Amino acid sequence: MAELTTLDFDAPIDDVLAALHRDGGVIVRDMLSEDGRRAIVDDLSADFGAAAPGSKSGMELWETFHGANTIRFCGLAARSRAFVDHALLNPVLAAVADRELLPGCADYWLNTGQVMAVGPDEPAQYLHRDENNWPEAVKPDSEVTVSCMFALSDFTRENGATVVVPGSQSLPPGLVRGHEVVDAEVAYSEMSAGSGMIYSGKVIHGAGANTTDAWRYGMHVSFVSGWLRPEEASPIQVDCATAAALPERARQLLGWSSYHSEGGGRIWLVDFEDASRLFD
Ligand SMILES: O=C(O)CCC(=O)C(=O)O
């Protein structure tokens, strides 16, 4: 079995990046403080109880992808201030995203913040690459998206820890929808609650099978280049009044500001002005 490197949250960012570049994923212990993790779980606990497992898409591909006994919901910044303070603005994830994404864009924003709770007896998700959301933008040597799977509860091989194929970020770009799981080649992101597995948009991965009778609670947070459209329509979920109460960087990440490209282009404007002017 392959393994991902596990580092402490205060490890030098160059060490985190070296492991990420070598394997396509790296586990960082205690990315969420215990207080932060508990606050997120408290804020979201009613939503965990109310959400039904399975996909609402009505599309076979997405129903298979989402999993019949997996609970997913988004709009986390509208549901939890602790999500904003501890996950959206997480300093380790920000440092990695700056280094990985800023060479290809003037800024990035939230792609999606998504609870991924894998239930008992859920089979493994088909393996895939996140960057395939934006096939036209994919390039072999640069990232358009970077993700973190935060463990809100302990992740074990038995309960569905994210499966990663280390090194697959270096394979030629292209659509991956299912990939053979060869035991010697895959790593299971086993990690304690509060840890995060930061991973490349290029690496082949997916949720593992949950063979236990307990839920595996995960929370995915990903960023995407500011000139691409994110998976989740954050400003439609996080309204202006909610955004106004958040730190400026959180508002920018949630789409309540505009994008200025290096060459002077401006997009996502409000009446020709930067959307952040709404908060002046
Ligand atoms: O839940 C997981 O461990 C990974 C899920 C995933 O990669 C996805 O749904 O895009």
Side-chain angles (χ1 to χ4, degrees), residues 56-69:
K56 297 180 265 305
S57 74
M59 288 183 259
E60 197 185 331
L61 174 71
W62 287 107
E63 288 183 358
T64 308
F65 184 82
H66 285 158
N69 201 29

Side-chain angles (χ1 to χ4, degrees), residues 1-2 12 35 38 52 65 67 121 140 147 176 185 195 206 216 249 272:
M1 195 171 76
D35 286 351
R38 277 179 191 276
F65 184 82
D121 297 327
S147 302
V176 174
E185 288 172 9
S195 303
R216 185 221 75 175
R249 183 59 180 150
F272 307 107

Side-chain angles (χ1 to χ4, degrees), residues 65-66 70 72 114 116-118 125-126 128 130 149 155 160-163 197 199 205-208 216 218 220 231:
F65 184 82
H66 285 158
T70 295
R72 288 168 185 262
Q114 201 176 117
M116 298 180 176
V118 178
Q125 184 185 40
Y126 65 73
H128 58 278
D130 287 353
M149 171 60 80
F155 272 35
T162 310
V163 178
M197 195 274 289
Y199 56 105
H205 71 282
R216 185 221 75 175
H220 163 111
E231 191 177 326

Side-chain angles (χ1 to χ4, degrees), residues 77-93:
R79 300 173 195 261
S80 168
R81 176 60 196 251
F83 165 80
V84 172
D85 293 338
H86 299 282
L88 182 68
L89 298 176
N90 187 279
V92 179
L93 184 54

Side-chain angles (χ1 to χ4, degrees), residues 213-277:
D213 54 11
W215 286 77
R216 185 221 75 175
Y217 292 100
M219 184 179 68
H220 163 111
V221 176
S222 50
F223 297 118
V224 64
S225 298
W227 48 272
L228 287 170
R229 195 186 282 229
E231 191 177 326
E232 182 181 351
S234 293
I236 298 179
Q237 303 212 59
V238 181
D239 63 25
C240 193
T242 307
L246 300 180
E248 186 182 9
R249 183 59 180 150
R251 290 203 298 265
Q252 291 167 349
L253 292 170
L254 291 165
W256 284 98
S257 75
S258 303
Y259 180 82
H260 302 250
S261 63
E262 304 291 354
R266 301 186 305 155
I267 51 178
W268 198 251
L269 303 173
V270 176
D271 211 7
F272 307 107
E273 297 297 338
D274 193 294
S276 61
R277 295 276 297 270

Side-chain angles (χ1 to χ4, degrees), residues 40-52 71 73-76 78-80 115:
I40 294 171
V41 172
D42 282 352
D43 284 351
L44 299 178
S45 58
D47 299 302
F48 281 125
I71 292 178
F73 55 87
C74 300
L76 302 186
R79 300 173 195 261
S80 168
V115 162

Side-chain angles (χ1 to χ4, degrees), residues 86-190:
H86 299 282
L88 182 68
L89 298 176
N90 187 279
V92 179
L93 184 54
V96 171
D98 284 357
R99 295 275 289 269
E100 294 300 277
L101 300 179
L102 291 181
C105 59
D107 199 5
Y108 53 85
W109 52 343
L110 180 67
N111 174 50
T112 182
Q114 201 176 117
V115 162
M116 298 180 176
V118 178
D121 297 327
E122 181 74 300
Q125 184 185 40
Y126 65 73
L127 301 185
H128 58 278
R129 287 172 146 164
D130 287 353
E131 72 177 8
N132 286 149
N133 263 335
W134 304 273
E136 299 84 352
V138 168
K139 291 192 193 143
D141 298 322
S142 59
E143 295 277 13
V144 291
T145 187
V146 65
S147 302
C148 180
M149 171 60 80
F150 288 99
L152 294 182
S153 61
D154 291 341
F155 272 35
T156 64
R157 177 170 175 173
E158 293 72 31
N159 75 9
T162 310
V163 178
V164 176
V165 185
S168 57
Q169 77 283 0
S170 306
L171 296 172
L175 181 64
V176 174
R177 193 169 282 152
H179 181 87
E180 201 186 343
V181 175
V182 178
D183 244 2
E185 288 172 9
V186 301
Y188 294 85
S189 311
E190 296 197 296

